[in-house]
Amino acid sequence: MRSNILAFAVGVGLLQLREALPFWPPLVTLLLAALPVLWPACRRSCWGRVLVLLASALLGFSWAALLAGQRLLDQLPVDWEGRDVQVVGVVAALPHGFERGERFAFAVEAVETPAAVVPQRIMLSWYHGWLEDEWREGLKIRPGERWRFTVRLKRPHGNANPLAFDYEAWLFERGLRATGYVRPHAAAQRLEAFVLQPAYVIERLRDHLRQSFSHVLGDAAYAGVLIALAVGDQQAIPGEQWRLFRQTGVTHLMSISGLHVTMVAALIGALVGWLWRRSERLLLAVPAQKAAIAAGWLAAFGYALLAGFAVPAQRTLYMLTVVALALWSGRNLGASRSLLLALLLVLLLDPWAVLAPGFWLSFAAVALLFFVGTARLGSGRGWGAMLATWGATQWAVTIGTLPLLLLLFQQFSLVSPLANAFAIPLVSFLITPLALLFVVVPWPPLLLLAHELLSVLMSSLDWLAAWPLWEQPAPPLLATVLALTGVIWLLLPRGFPARWLGLCLLLPALLWPAAQPARGEVWVEVLDVGQGLAVVVRTADHSLLYDAGPLYSAESDAGQRIIVPYLRAHGVRRIDTLIVTHRDKDHSGGVVAVEEALPIARRLSSVRELQPEPCVDGQSWEWDGVQFSILHPAAADYERKAVRSNNMSCVLQVSSAWGSVLLTADIEARDEQALLARAAAGLRSDVLLVPHHGSGTSSTLPFIAAVGAREAIIAVGYRNRFQHPRADVVDRYGGGRLWRTDRDGAVRVRLAAAGLSLSAYRGEYRRYWHGQ
């Protein structure tokens, strides 16, 4: 059975790697694949068992394809993107506030615009104005309310960059098949204060509890953490605190995770079992062990619902369900069988769970705990033995999840074992229970005590955060598999010969070198940051960042979300030159995050407030056989008054023996004319970053002809409000190949001995849900 479940999981995983769903009917294959599994005669021979394994994998593949096909049917037609549609529905989940409004899941019940087609579940944002007096009372929505909105929608779309978060996969897993916003000038109407359905009752309760926590704690520093631990609202935690948690390796503790659900179930189960044994009548009716199991499962189920039934909580609940049923029935399924049955249940209900890093980390951590928790001869008793066991467990989880952390996040906190050693018991046995006790008994001192304990914890974490992080490029899959094998070998029982060989198998993942250009070569990556710009230029021993992308909100920017993770994954430890081309937030919004994450040797910019070296026409330098030249602005431009920031954009040309790239930021027609007047011949390049995202104010025909690029790249956001790129501008580049980050994702340019080559991330990493 165990091998069949693993084969089923492999089939599910293979489906999630496909660029398109299979053309054959999945239901037919599902039935055909089930026949060998259900036919006992196949299991009697070696080849029969192989056939069963293949059939199990095909069964998983077909099951995942069947569910995916059904979900893809519920989509927004392309013709209805960006058009006003009037819908009636219910606020289906806890709204999350952001800088200029609220964001929430909306269950569509009716579409009142004739001929319009809208998915059943969408994600909406409702913005208020820039000024406080523009806030309207109607924006204060609550879960379970029925509203009539006029909305403007688009199909699911996210930034597509190497080794980055797949927002489209996140939306697809949660069944959110379109995103959009409430139209500000159309009257929104609340039709019903509350729609009585079980799911909405739970969401309204979560909203009430969030307000209760906020009322007691006010603007306390760590109120967001307690709200997240109680009702799963992670949006309440400021970005600075998330950064501290990542640096110390305790991120998993600051939201409702599998560990918390398990601890709550264990605490409630132990309490009910203890109380049950006090009553002879209850013991005669139901054994105390069974009562404790039932109470623990109910506690886990209730906590998972309170957390909004988030995916990590779901996985843990399914796992506990399998274990609880086995214990209730009196059967000893064994650790591995229980874990694999939970895996099967998760994949049957949510085949997209394999896309989440938490899926791999949670199952890996539980498997490691089972592996090292097996009884060993000579184990002692008492406090010393308990501390030794706790230390061994921490060691096992730390070293066991290291390969996955390096593969998924390219970093590992060296103080994580120490931080978790005191954070886990403090958060799991004191802080979280106190927060949940306030849910049952709304007595303010409970929350205040929890906040004080959390303050002590945060002070300790702040001290530990000064220790360095282990960072390195993402290792390849083969090195990760070798490292996982080494972990298992290393954690074998004491006395097993040559356990040190496990460390040897870990070394490739720990020391895997980053891919680098050869001398004279240059790699340019135009990242997909939405409506903005960020370009990474690398030579053999140097790195340059050209702009830092947009500022998305007060808590999020392209530097934090895209640029720093990209640089970390590719082994960039310092930036030799940072060029911030001009003042606009879509080019400079991520500067602070980049400066906090990496040392920067040199800064060039036309923005004086950044206190850099000004970029001026005529500046040039050479790295590893590659020439860098600043072509704009001229020195005289700094003396002019009332110059638009776009006209001060730093223009950079990168040249090697095998070609050149011209990066133009947001220059406009007048700047193009100035460049042509100063040195038209020097503009010729093989690749051109199209000026100003394809705006109609740039890309004049003489400038395009002077550059003569074979390839042109437009850095642009999907369905942006500026309507970039303009259709007439796109037509002007008809003589060469045109790349767009909204359509192609990140675009990679390589100038190497083999010649000029370009590739797009969406072309190399295409999945069936992308663009759907």
Side-chain angles (χ1 to χ4, degrees):
M1 180 187 74
R2 284 171 286 195
S3 57
N4 292 342
I5 293 176
L6 288 174
F8 181 90
V10 169
V12 171
L14 289 175
L15 187 279
Q16 311 308 338
L17 297 177
R18 287 186 59 88
E19 297 183 4
L21 293 182
F23 62 88
W24 32 261
L27 185 59
V28 175
T29 308
L30 193 65
L31 296 174
L32 293 176
L35 292 178
V37 177
L38 300 176
W39 186 24
C42 288
R43 305 175 188 176
R44 297 174 185 173
S45 66
C46 178
W47 288 109
R49 287 193 290 272
V50 172
L51 180 61
V52 169
L53 289 176
L54 292 176
S56 298
L58 185 57
L59 192 65
F61 185 90
S62 304
W63 175 253
L66 179 64
L67 295 186
Q70 292 177 342
R71 184 156 292 183
L72 285 177
L73 292 176
D74 184 30
Q75 63 179 337
L76 178 71
V78 175
D79 293 342
W80 282 98
E81 283 190 293
R83 297 171 62 179
D84 286 352
V85 180
Q86 187 165 287
V87 295
V88 173
V90 181
V91 179
L94 194 67
H96 297 294
F98 58 94
E99 186 181 11
R100 294 179 49 228
E102 289 183 294
R103 186 171 292 113
F104 53 94
F106 191 69
V108 178
E109 297 177 321
V111 181
E112 298 183 340
T113 301
V117 178
V118 175
Q120 297 177 4
R121 192 175 175 90
I122 59 179
M123 177 73 79
L124 290 179
S125 298
W126 198 355
Y127 298 92
H128 61 84
W130 289 100
L131 302 177
E132 286 299 323
D133 58 4
E134 292 177 354
W135 176 272
R136 294 175 308 198
E137 187 69 23
L139 281 172
K140 296 180 180 179
I141 59 176
R142 301 189 67 188
E145 294 178 338
R146 178 176 281 127
W147 284 81
R148 175 181 286 113
F149 290 135
T150 299
V151 300
R152 185 166 288 183
L153 302 173
K154 63 181 179 181
R155 292 156 75 92
H157 188 89
N159 303 126
N161 296 285
L163 297 169
F165 173 67
D166 191 338
Y167 180 61
E168 292 176 48
W170 184 89
L171 291 172
F172 191 74
E173 181 184 9
R174 285 154 180 79
L176 298 167
R177 303 295 294 121
T179 62
Y181 61 94
V182 178
R183 294 287 283 154
H185 303 299
Q189 183 180 4
R190 183 188 284 112
L191 302 178
E192 195 168 345
F194 183 68
V195 177
L196 186 60
Q197 288 187 18
Y200 302 149
V201 171
I202 294 168
E203 292 300 323
R204 180 61 68 90
L205 174 62
R206 296 178 66 216
D207 181 64
H208 172 74
L209 292 173
R210 182 172 66 175
Q211 292 182 12
S212 299
F213 274 63
S214 299
H215 177 73
V216 172
L217 296 172
D219 57 354
Y222 310 119
V225 177
L226 292 176
I227 292 174
L229 290 173
V231 298
D233 181 17
Q234 298 183 20
Q235 302 293 327
I237 302 178
E240 191 64 34
Q241 293 178 14
W242 278 123
R243 191 175 300 112
L244 176 64
F245 300 149
R246 285 194 296 268
Q247 290 174 340
T248 53
V250 298
T251 305
H252 63 104
L253 291 176
M254 300 307 163
S255 56
I256 297 180
S257 63
L259 176 63
H260 293 136
V261 176
T262 305
M263 290 299 182
V264 168
L267 287 173
I268 298 299
L271 178 61
V272 169
W274 181 81
L275 293 173
W276 205 270
R277 291 184 181 90
R278 310 276 79 80
S279 171
E280 183 177 348
R281 180 178 297 179
L282 293 176
L283 283 173
L284 291 174
V286 178
Q289 183 184 23
K290 289 189 175 183
I293 292 169
W297 184 87
L298 287 172
F301 180 65
Y303 191 28
L305 291 179
L306 193 63
F309 218 52
V311 175
Q314 288 182 40
R315 289 194 293 265
T316 305
L317 180 64
Y318 301 151
M319 191 180 303
L320 291 176
T321 300
V322 172
V323 175
L325 289 174
L327 293 175
W328 183 274
S329 64
R331 294 186 178 184
N332 183 12
L333 295 178
S336 62
R337 190 175 281 109
S338 298
L339 184 63
L340 289 174
L341 283 173
L343 172 66
L344 177 62
L345 184 58
V346 169
L347 295 181
L348 284 173
L349 297 174
D350 182 12
W352 304 284
V354 296
L355 302 174
F359 169 86
W360 299 97
L361 292 172
S362 61
F363 273 100
V366 174
L368 286 165
L369 292 175
F370 282 153
F371 183 64
V372 301
T374 305
R376 286 172 165 81
L377 295 176
S379 59
R381 297 182 178 179
W383 286 104
M386 289 179 62
L387 289 175
T389 301
W390 178 257
T393 301
Q394 283 294 308
W395 159 252
V397 173
T398 299
I399 196 69
T401 56
L402 175 59
L404 291 177
L405 290 172
L406 293 178
L407 176 67
L408 298 171
F409 304 110
Q410 299 84 53
Q411 68 176 17
F412 173 73
S413 173
L414 296 176
V415 298
S416 174
L418 179 58
N420 279 280
F422 65 84
I424 287 176
L426 189 59
V427 173
S428 300
F429 293 109
L430 290 176
I431 296 173
T432 302
L434 284 170
L436 292 178
L437 187 58
F438 176 81
V439 171
V440 181
V441 184
W443 188 41
L446 293 173
L447 270 189
L448 297 177
L449 176 58
H451 191 273
E452 287 301 316
L453 292 173
L454 190 55
S455 299
V456 174
L457 174 63
M458 296 294 285
S459 298
S460 303
L461 294 179
D462 191 56
W463 178 76
L464 290 174
W467 292 48
L469 287 170
W470 179 283
E471 295 183 349
Q472 67 168 67
L477 183 59
L478 178 59
T480 304
V481 172
L482 281 176
L484 291 172
T485 305
V487 165
I488 296 173
W489 192 280
L490 190 62
L491 296 178
L492 286 170
R494 185 178 301 173
F496 197 90
R499 285 197 304 162
W500 57 270
L501 289 175
L503 289 175
C504 298
L505 295 177
L506 275 171
L507 291 179
L510 291 172
L511 303 176
W512 195 266
Q516 296 286 351
R519 181 171 178 80
E521 295 183 351
V522 58
W523 295 355
V524 180
E525 189 100 29
V526 181
L527 298 177
D528 179 11
V529 294
Q531 186 64 17
L533 181 64
V535 183
V536 178
V537 183
R538 289 189 291 160
T539 65
D541 297 314
H542 296 82
S543 298
L544 178 145
L545 178 61
Y546 183 84
D547 277 337
L551 179 71
Y552 301 123
S553 68
E555 296 291 337
S556 176
D557 58 65
Q560 168 199 350
R561 283 175 44 184
I562 297 173
I563 299 172
V564 171
Y566 173 86
L567 295 175
R568 182 189 302 127
H570 290 81
V572 177
R573 295 291 170 263
R574 70 191 296 267
I575 296 176
D576 296 284
T577 298
L578 168 65
I579 299 179
V580 181
T581 60
H582 61 298
R583 188 186 307 277
D584 291 359
K585 288 296 184 183
D586 59 333
H587 293 250
S588 62
V591 167
V592 174
V594 173
E595 290 178 337
E596 290 178 350
L598 295 168
I600 300 173
R602 183 188 186 192
R603 292 170 173 82
L604 290 172
S605 179
S606 63
V607 184
R608 296 178 179 177
E609 288 81 357
L610 294 178
Q611 297 180 349
E613 176 185 352
C615 55
V616 182
D617 172 35
Q619 292 171 321
S620 65
W621 65 93
E622 182 181 330
W623 287 342
D624 311 314
V626 178
Q627 186 70 29
F628 293 78
S629 303
I630 298 291
L631 305 183
H632 186 80
D637 292 332
Y638 286 93
E639 305 300 326
R640 296 164 50 199
K641 296 182 179 179
V643 181
R644 293 181 58 187
S645 63
N646 285 349
N647 302 134
M648 296 298 293
S649 296
C650 304
V651 175
L652 175 69
Q653 187 177 55
V654 183
S655 305
S656 75
W658 299 290
S660 60
V661 179
L662 184 63
L663 305 177
T664 58
D666 280 359
I667 60 171
E668 297 182 337
R670 54 165 291 175
D671 310 303
E672 295 174 358
Q673 294 172 4
L675 284 167
L676 290 171
R678 285 199 297 267
L683 294 176
R684 183 157 296 276
S685 302
D686 298 283
V687 182
L688 170 65
L689 180 67
V690 173
H692 201 185
H693 317 288
S695 165
T697 62
S698 307
S699 296
T700 58
L701 288 174
F703 178 77
I704 295 174
V707 175
R710 291 182 287 160
E711 312 274 359
I713 304 170
I714 305 179
V716 64
Y718 181 70
R719 300 193 63 84
N720 62 87
R721 63 189 179 94
F722 305 103
Q723 299 182 355
H724 294 161
R726 307 292 295 189
D728 57 328
V729 172
V730 172
D731 292 339
R732 296 174 200 169
Y733 289 93
R737 190 161 50 163
L738 189 64
W739 305 76
R740 296 173 48 160
T741 56
D742 61 338
R743 180 192 63 205
D744 303 314
V747 179
R748 176 179 298 160
V749 182
R750 292 199 174 185
L751 301 174
L756 170 67
S757 66
L758 279 80
S759 60
Y761 180 70
R762 286 190 184 271
E764 296 178 347
Y765 181 82
R766 177 75 183 176
R767 296 296 181 262
Y768 65 84
W769 58 81
H770 286 160
Q772 302 297 321

